[in-house]
Amino acid sequence: MLEKSQGQDIDRLAFKKILWHTLDELRKIRRREERSEEINNELEFKKEKVEWDNLIILKDKVKELNGIEKLVFFEHLLAQKEITNLVEVAGCSRQTLQRVKKGLLLKLKNALKN
C-alpha cells in the first residue's frame, strides 16, 4: 500500500482499507450464520412428530369433499397455487373459491377436533 499510494494520506487510506475488509468479513459471518440457522430450522421441522391419527381423519374427510373443495384442498392448500390461478379451472369466481376455502378449513378443523 505504501508503494501504490505515494504522496497521499496513507493513514486515512489504510484505515478505510481495514474498515472495508472488516465489514466484508462481518457480512460473510452473518451470511454463514443465516444459512446455518435456516438449515437448523429445516431439521427441527422434519423432527416434528407426525400425528398419524390426524392424517387418517383428513384422508377420510377428503373422500367426502365435492369437486371444488377437492380442487382448493389439493391445488391451493397442498400445492400452494394461488386462488386466482384456480378460477379458470374451477369455473367460478375468486370470491366463491375464497368462500369454499373458508368453509373447507372449518370442516377440516371440526373433523380434527372430534
Side-chain angles (χ1 to χ4, degrees):
M1 187 169 177
L2 290 172
E3 293 172 1
K4 291 181 182 178
S5 58
Q6 292 176 352
Q8 295 180 1
D9 189 9
I10 295 173
D11 290 338
R12 193 177 78 196
L13 292 174
F15 177 76
K16 284 184 180 181
K17 187 166 183 155
I18 292 170
L19 180 67
W20 293 334
H21 181 70
T22 305
L23 288 174
D24 287 342
E25 291 299 316
L26 289 172
R27 286 185 192 115
K28 286 179 190 176
I29 292 170
R30 185 178 65 200
R31 279 193 301 261
R32 272 191 236 121
E33 287 176 354
E34 287 173 354
R35 282 189 214 124
S36 66
E37 184 178 324
E38 289 173 3
I39 291 170
N40 289 339
N41 289 342
E42 287 179 21
L43 291 174
E44 287 178 19
F45 180 73
K46 290 179 181 179
K47 288 180 183 177
E48 288 182 16
K49 182 182 169 188
V50 175
E51 295 187 26
W52 295 104
D53 294 338
N54 288 346
L55 293 176
I56 292 170
I57 291 169
L58 287 177
K59 181 182 173 189
D60 293 338
K61 196 67 176 173
V62 167
K63 293 177 185 176
E64 301 171 6
L65 301 177
N66 63 34
I68 295 177
E69 289 175 331
K70 284 183 182 179
L71 178 73
V72 170
F73 181 73
F74 288 112
E75 297 296 323
H76 178 64
L77 296 177
L78 295 181
Q80 297 181 345
K81 292 183 181 176
E82 292 186 19
I83 289 275
T84 53
N85 296 338
L86 300 177
V87 168
E88 199 171 301
V89 176
C92 57
S93 69
R94 189 182 64 77
Q95 291 85 1
T96 303
L97 288 177
Q98 290 288 0
R99 210 173 300 121
V100 168
K101 175 184 169 184
K102 186 176 179 180
L104 175 63
L105 290 174
L106 276 173
K107 280 184 187 179
L108 297 176
K109 182 179 175 183
N110 289 334
L112 292 175
K113 280 185 180 179
N114 296 333

